Amino acid sequence: MSVDPGSHALCHVLREDPELADAIPAERRQRAIEECLAPVRSLPTGGWQPPAATEGVGLLVLGGLIIRRVGIEGRHGAELLGQGDVLRPWQREPESLTPLKVTTGWSIVDRARIALLDDDFVAFLGRYPEVAGCLVGRALQRARNLVVNIAIVHQARVDVRLHMLLWHLAARWGRVRSDGTALPLRLTHTVLADLVAARRPTVTSALSDLSRRGLVRLVDDTWLLVGDPPWELLELASS
């Protein structure tokens, strides 16, 4: 794994991820924030070779963007991971679960920071089980997000897929402003093409169409979504 100098530094996980801290009762929260430490890594953009199998919970994304691509016979699906996601990239599915030859690749889309929730961190979970419950909830939510992503990819028109995907991402990482909902993610047309299962030129054309219709604008690496989410996405989120 490529890391920056000083990558063996520790971070206060609950300070970096306040939602985890909020799961702990107020009278115990500050002590938990000070005690829950984990090694932190900085990952530059480009291809990423995850660390070898290790003990512990896994990796917690503190910032940046990571894309995971899964391929079968030249066809690929993709998943976007960002702040708050929990992953175990070294975990492999037993071969008995599928006869298919599946390939997996990882890339850092936007410079990322991750915390290694190792064996030492597991010891903290024994004292603060509320954090463990929150991390399990994150894993379950990631699975639910994947199902929504699958439903989005099944939409016939690429412009609809893109519009729905951006709103889906904005539900997690967007900010409501007076002129719309801002999504500050550096998503290239190539990355978007992977996420909506389309070709890059088709994505470029579809984004231009959304811009002409006043629904999506890109301003300084921030996607601005104007108006309301597409009704199809509202139905998916409530199902």
Side-chain angles (χ1 to χ4, degrees), residues 54-59 86-92 106 142:
T54 184
E55 300 298 327
V57 176
L59 306 177
V86 178
L87 53 149
R88 291 172 61 88
W90 53 81
Q91 183 170 318
R92 297 288 183 265
W106 301 81
R142 180 180 166 193

Side-chain angles (χ1 to χ4, degrees), residues 6 12 22 55 67 69 77 89 108 112 115 138 149 154 219 223 235:
H12 291 83
D22 290 343
E55 300 298 327
I67 190 168
R69 295 181 177 90
I108 309 302
R138 297 273 183 89
N149 289 347
H154 281 200
V219 182
W223 299 92
E235 287 188 350

Side-chain angles (χ1 to χ4, degrees), residues 224-238:
L224 184 64
L225 311 179
V226 181
D228 298 320
W231 64 267
E232 299 98 331
L233 181 58
L234 297 177
E235 287 188 350
L236 289 174
S238 63

Side-chain angles (χ1 to χ4, degrees), residues 207-218:
L207 286 172
S208 296
D209 181 58
L210 290 171
S211 178
R212 283 194 299 270
R213 291 155 58 192
L215 298 174
V216 175
R217 288 191 289 122
L218 181 60

Side-chain angles (χ1 to χ4, degrees), residues 1 20-21 31 53 62 79 89 107 121 172 180 182 190 192 198 217:
M1 176 175 66
L20 294 178
R31 181 175 178 180
L62 302 176
E79 174 188 15
S107 295
F121 188 83
R172 289 194 60 191
T190 299
L192 288 171
R217 288 191 289 122

